[in-house]
Amino acid sequence: MSSCSIKGYNGRAPAPRVGIMNDARSSQARLAEPAHPADPAGAVPSAGPVPSAGPARPAGKGRLPGMDRLPGLALAVGVAVVATALGRLAPLVGGPVTGIVLGVLVAVVVRPGARLRPGIAFAGRGVLQAAVVVLGAQLSLGQVLRVGVGSLPVMIVTLVVCLAAAYWIGRRLGIVGDLRTLIGVGTGICGASAIAAVTPVIGAAEAEVAYAVSTIFVFNIAAVLTFPAIGHLLDMSQHSFGLFAGTAVNDMSSVVAAATTYGGAAADQAVVVKLARTLLIIPICLGLAALVRRRARTAGGTAGTPGTAGTPGTAGTPGPVRVGRLIPWFLVGFLVLAAANTAGLVPSAAHGPLSTLAVFLITVALSAIGLSTEPARLRRTGPAPLILGGCLWLVVTATSLAAQFLTGHL
């Protein structure tokens, strides 16, 4: 998901920080890490043309765009092929789950180098988004609307309980406000995408973002490995498990992996629920932006009239959130293909091959996510954020099941 953007402050005072609960005891020193070293002269690299060091290379001899992604992408595809073969031997586990496990093992044993990282990053994000778009070709807009509206009560209850738990448990663990916010929205909405969207709104530090993403990643893997077993233990239907995965698992990759392992119908249900849940980041970002602006005006006192950031005589309040940038492109693509399928433009004979393609793309993406595991970063995270993430994971899981039971879905 694209991150929303907030215009900068006037540069004379640091941006006020805001969390789910940002009390006076919050100390940035607990998590501070040195930022990237700035230019000694404070200069920003010029965006203008760079003088040519010689004649331009003839066409065809230069490196094609995206070529740096090929080695890492090839590795992810190779792992996915092996995972798909093993998944056929153990259908209950499936290819996507096997892919993420194999990816983690390769990352721990071999530790892919810098040459492979661009392709691994592309496979983990771009290929997954393409898989979500392909899944849209198997659904109709009527299904999308029906599932989205029907799951709304469970989604809202789960999100509210998650944010409240992040506030309460995070305070008692002594976790600073911004980190509580990042872990809370990451667990309650859409994982790393929600963290990316909220980060510029609240001005979170890089260290906090890294800690939050690492924490979310751990419990993504835990959900992929345990949720299908929970579903079978509770004898959940495909519909119920899809709603469970779509509301209780935070990252799209893990939602798709867990649901695909349970069944094709569960995967279709889970993707629609998850995409509807993803849209909740818009009101959350708008609410946090309003809170930041109010605190900026309060910090600025009565000196000037509040207005746009950087305007003389203002309190340096942030500018408006660009709502359009919060809507991911793959959500649009998913709806376009669903509309095409509704109009009969996707032949029925193509549904089977498209489903197989989507599952393989998901396996490639999950393999790449496993390959991107950084054990050292997880160790640096420390116990407190992991404890908070684990508590929220359990809270969201229990709340989703309870809400389904109370609304008659379970």
Side-chain angles (χ1 to χ4, degrees):
M1 175 183 292
S2 302
S3 61
C4 54
S5 61
I6 295 293
K7 292 182 180 179
Y9 289 82
N10 59 13
R12 298 184 179 179
R17 310 184 64 75
V18 57
I20 289 176
M21 195 288 176
N22 214 353
D23 54 299
R25 295 182 297 110
S26 298
S27 172
Q28 198 63 20
R30 299 179 213 170
L31 289 167
E33 287 187 357
H36 296 295
D39 185 275
V44 177
S46 172
V50 179
S52 174
R57 292 183 179 180
K61 292 189 177 180
R63 197 170 187 180
L64 294 175
M67 290 294 289
D68 59 333
R69 297 175 176 175
L70 288 181
L73 181 58
L75 175 61
V77 170
V79 173
V81 169
V82 175
T84 299
L86 293 176
R88 288 174 179 169
L89 300 177
L92 187 62
V93 178
V97 176
T98 306
I100 198 169
V101 172
L102 289 179
V104 170
L105 291 176
V106 172
V108 171
V109 175
V110 180
R111 298 182 65 182
R115 180 169 171 266
L116 299 173
R117 287 173 191 162
I120 291 174
F122 172 75
R125 189 172 184 84
V127 173
L128 174 68
Q129 293 170 345
V132 172
V133 173
V134 173
L135 286 171
Q138 305 167 60
L139 299 172
S140 68
L141 288 180
Q143 287 176 284
V144 172
L145 183 61
R146 184 172 61 255
V147 171
V149 173
S151 62
L152 195 59
V154 179
M155 284 191 290
I156 292 177
V157 169
T158 304
L159 175 60
V160 170
V161 171
C162 178
L163 295 181
Y167 164 79
W168 188 80
I169 299 173
R171 281 195 66 192
R172 278 146 186 79
L173 290 175
I175 299 174
V176 295
D178 282 353
L179 185 56
R180 287 200 302 269
T181 301
L182 295 176
I183 295 177
V185 298
T187 303
I189 304 178
C190 51
S193 298
I195 292 171
V198 166
T199 293
V201 176
I202 65 176
E206 289 184 5
E208 294 170 328
V209 175
Y211 292 163
V213 171
S214 299
T215 299
I216 294 297
F217 178 78
V218 169
F219 295 101
N220 279 343
I221 296 178
V224 170
L225 297 177
T226 61
F227 273 32
I230 293 174
H232 289 296
L233 182 66
L234 298 177
D235 195 24
M236 299 177 74
S237 67
Q238 294 283 309
H239 170 86
S240 296
F241 187 84
L243 180 56
F244 175 47
T247 54
V249 186
N250 52 56
D251 200 75
M252 175 62 83
S253 58
S254 302
V255 170
V256 175
T260 301
T261 302
Y262 202 78
D268 292 342
Q269 175 90 2
V271 167
V272 176
V273 172
K274 183 63 179 70
L275 290 176
R277 181 179 162 206
T278 296
L279 294 178
L280 293 177
I281 194 59
I282 296 176
I284 291 295
C285 280
L286 293 175
L288 288 173
L291 185 56
V292 170
R293 290 167 65 88
R294 187 181 70 182
R295 293 196 174 185
R297 287 195 295 267
T298 302
T302 57
T305 304
T308 305
T311 303
T314 70
T317 54
V321 177
R322 299 174 188 172
V323 178
R325 295 187 61 187
L326 297 177
I327 301 175
W329 72 268
F330 60 86
L331 172 57
V332 177
F334 176 88
L335 293 175
V336 167
L337 274 191
N341 189 43
T342 304
L345 300 178
V346 180
S348 299
H351 287 174
L354 286 174
S355 177
T356 302
L357 173 62
V359 172
F360 182 72
L361 292 177
I362 291 165
T363 306
V364 172
L366 268 291
S367 300
I369 290 172
L371 289 168
S372 63
T373 303
E374 297 183 33
R377 172 177 285 186
L378 296 178
R379 286 194 297 269
R380 288 197 303 269
T381 301
L386 284 174
I387 293 172
L388 175 60
C391 290
L392 295 184
W393 182 62
L394 294 174
V395 166
V396 167
T397 299
T399 302
S400 176
L401 292 173
Q404 282 200 63
F405 178 78
L406 293 175
T407 55
H409 290 284
L410 187 60

